[in-house]
Amino acid sequence: MRDIAIQIAYIVSAGIFIMGIKMLGSATTARRGNRLSAIGMLLAVIITLFDQGIVSAGIQGYAWIAGGIALGALIGGILAKRVQMTGMPEMVALLNGFGGLASLLVAWAEYATLPALGLIPVSGEMRFTLVVSALTVIVGGITFTGSLVAYLKLSGKMSGRPFLFAGQKAINFVVMLVLAAATVALALALKDYSATAFYTLIGGAFLLGVLGVIPIGGGDMPVVISLLNSLSGVAASFAGFIIGNTVLIVAGCLVGASGLILTVIMCKAMNRTIGNVLFGGFGAAASGSGGAAEQGEMKAVSTEDAYYILEAARSVVVIPGYGMAVAQAQHVVKELGELLENNGAEIRYAIHPVAGRMPGHMNVLLAEADVPYEQLVEMDNINPIMPTVDVAIVIGANDVVNPAAATDPSSPIYGMPIINAHEAKTVFALKRGKGTGFSGLENKLFFMPNTRMIYGDAKATVADLVSQMKG
């Protein structure tokens, strides 16, 4: 009866977790979904403590559990309060990494509890545990160190450009062969080699995680983060098989599948394959071959002149990018949108799938500013009406509005679907200066005859427009 009750409780916990993830699909229910998922996971943790007999370890056992919960809650609370929206992508990368590390530690702990391999007959169940442990270590280790590299690139502590060197792919292949050999050695439970094989798996996985992410440019980081998130889920699911935990298997499969689906969607939005993102070294080529040379010059305009055009506009589309996040301009952008609406204009926010530094980055920023969810329009829905738009305001976006993707076969981003900002009657591009974007590519949009540049901090620029709109 006790086992039945525990399994029912696990199913209830998994159901709550699934409902929470479902609610994350809408900005109006996302916060409740996050809380619901947290409750489901808390329930699963409590059930596991009783199911595995961990709470029977006495006062000392409770002290370790309570200490771990308190320490984790303290660190998580401090980070949640202090992290800026600009730092959210690297925070997500770190969380993905620690998820992978946690799964690796579960596999390591389970391996440590096994009887001395080679001294006793190995059962089918034990062999299964060894194989799944090896897979958990590989996926978890790659996720951990790969996420750390992604964090360093996104936070600026490491160059965002691809790091390529001679023989890189060959070295990666050799490391993968070593991991495969170590997995076989562990599965065979060879007396003299099992421990060596296991620790080789850990070291090799850590190394492959680093080697796998350093050749990826900063412009591809949203896809990388999504893929690493998927891998953290896969590692958690493997860990669930190791310890026989149903809810961990379900939760891991959900995260793994959803992360992979999102990765594929983002790759399609860039007109690239996952293989090209992982092995193409995008950004290195960009620095050496950025497409045809630009003709003409960027034409600057003052906020006063921009105000007169906006005042007469009846259709305005805002296209946000990472520059909006850096300037933390989302709140004044929303205020400007409200003023334009009161002036009789229709306001929309065009969202490209890979804008920013993580999946859904712009959606999160605008939701934080309470921008109505109905005003957020996806790329495929906004492009057909762009020729009718009076003004397109590009705030810190670069590659996702670069017409070279459609017109310049020599450009590294040729073929990538973009938001057709250049088709609007007037384009205002808000930039700090004349430099290129994160990928290092020059944006042809900035040189087009219908584009006017407004230089300066995006938040200050929009705030100036807001004050003029207020009169």
Side-chain angles (χ1 to χ4, degrees), residues 127-441:
R127 202 177 299 280
F128 174 80
T129 299
L130 289 171
V131 172
V132 177
S133 295
L135 294 176
T136 305
V137 168
I138 293 172
V139 178
I142 291 173
T143 304
F144 176 59
T145 54
S147 296
L148 287 183
V149 174
Y151 162 78
L152 293 173
K153 282 177 175 273
L154 288 166
S155 62
K157 295 178 175 63
M158 179 179 178
S159 173
R161 292 194 176 279
F163 180 74
L164 303 172
F165 56 87
Q168 191 166 33
K169 293 180 181 179
I171 292 174
N172 289 349
F173 183 69
V174 170
V175 174
M176 286 189 283
L177 286 180
V178 170
L179 290 175
T183 300
V184 172
L186 190 65
L188 294 176
L190 301 177
K191 175 183 176 182
D192 297 327
Y193 300 102
S194 293
T196 301
F198 189 84
Y199 295 119
T200 298
L201 284 171
I202 295 176
F206 283 167
L207 178 60
L208 190 58
V210 174
L211 293 175
V213 178
I214 57 173
I216 302 175
D220 286 333
M221 278 301 118
V223 179
V224 174
I225 289 179
S226 179
L227 183 59
L228 290 171
N229 179 59
S230 176
L231 290 179
S232 71
V234 172
S237 184
F238 283 153
F241 279 107
I242 293 174
I243 62 176
N245 190 292
T246 304
V247 75
L248 192 56
I249 296 172
V250 172
C253 287
L254 286 171
V255 174
S258 59
L260 184 59
I261 291 171
L262 181 57
T263 302
V264 172
I265 290 173
M266 297 179 76
C267 285
K268 287 184 177 179
M270 299 166 66
N271 195 34
R272 297 167 66 198
T273 64
I274 295 179
N276 180 260
V277 170
L278 296 178
F279 309 116
F282 177 80
S287 60
S289 176
E294 299 303 334
Q295 302 294 325
E297 61 179 0
M298 300 182 188
K299 295 172 283 292
V301 70
S302 67
T303 54
E304 290 79 7
D305 293 334
Y307 158 69
Y308 290 118
I309 297 175
L310 284 172
E311 187 182 37
R314 288 296 169 264
S315 177
V316 177
V317 171
V318 176
I319 306 172
Y322 187 65
M324 186 180 77
V326 171
Q328 299 184 43
Q330 59 269 27
H331 295 283
V332 288
V333 168
K334 189 234 181 177
E335 188 177 1
L336 177 63
E338 290 178 336
L339 291 171
L340 290 170
E341 278 189 299
N342 295 337
N343 194 46
E346 183 178 14
I347 182 76
R348 300 182 186 90
Y349 299 83
I351 309 297
H352 192 282
V354 295
R357 294 291 182 272
M358 69 177 184
H361 197 183
M362 297 301 105
N363 302 69
V364 172
L365 284 173
L366 295 172
E368 183 198 24
D370 293 325
V371 171
Y373 193 70
E374 313 80 59
Q375 293 183 346
L376 273 59
V377 186
E378 295 182 2
M379 174 182 62
D380 292 338
N381 295 326
I382 199 67
N383 277 343
I385 65 172
M386 283 305 298
T388 68
V389 172
D390 292 324
V391 179
I393 306 176
V394 179
I395 308 178
N398 195 67
D399 296 338
V400 297
V401 292
N402 192 342
T407 62
D408 184 3
S410 65
S411 173
I413 61 170
Y414 182 68
M416 170 182 167
I418 61 167
I419 295 174
N420 297 331
H422 60 282
E423 294 182 352
K425 296 170 185 174
T426 301
V427 179
F428 291 135
L430 278 59
K431 281 179 86 305
R432 286 183 177 273
K434 296 184 179 181
T436 57
F438 196 49
S439 68
L441 298 180

